[in-house]
Amino acid sequence: ELADLLGASVGGTRPLVDEEVLPFERQIGITGKSVSPRLLFVLGVSGAREFAAGTEKAKLTIAVNTDENAPIFKIADLKVHGDLKEVIPALANRLRQYKENNK
């Protein structure tokens, strides 16, 4: 839903592909694709080197993670220490409100 509200695509890590949550063509990282979006949300990803290598060309990276020492925070432009299960619905709700008020 968040991706839809933003007009964005969803990519993921190798474990998500291995678990068949996402198809291989959506994998980001050394063994997947490199991405270069204007805005990249990295949600619940630790930020291992293999993943981070595929995100280096993003213009602005916003990371959400419960681990305040997650490696992704070293490369993120905006760091949110929190649970993605709380942050994503709150952000989606605000975006819905914004869109509704700005029709």
Side-chain angles (χ1 to χ4, degrees):
E1 179 187 14
L2 181 59
D4 287 341
L5 286 166
L6 292 168
S9 296
V10 174
T13 60
R14 184 174 182 160
L16 289 176
V17 172
D18 289 347
E19 293 173 19
E20 299 180 349
V21 174
L22 289 173
F24 174 74
E25 52 271 5
R26 296 287 183 159
Q27 183 176 322
I28 297 170
I30 290 175
T31 57
K33 296 185 184 277
S34 291
V35 295
S36 55
R38 290 180 298 203
L39 174 61
L40 175 67
F41 279 97
V42 181
L43 307 166
V45 174
S46 68
R49 232 175 348 160
E50 295 80 9
F51 175 81
T55 66
E56 294 173 334
K57 294 182 181 177
K59 303 282 187 265
L60 177 68
T61 299
I62 299 173
V64 178
N65 202 296
T66 56
D67 177 3
E68 62 189 34
N69 297 312
I72 195 66
F73 285 152
K74 292 178 182 159
I75 61 171
D77 298 295
L78 178 64
K79 302 145 183 82
V80 179
H81 177 232
D83 187 334
L84 66 95
K85 293 176 184 170
E86 296 173 6
V87 174
I88 293 173
L91 181 55
N93 187 45
R94 293 292 296 200
L95 283 168
R96 266 192 252 86
Q97 290 173 353
Y98 176 82
K99 286 185 170 206
E100 194 60 37
N101 292 332
N102 291 287
K103 281 188 174 179

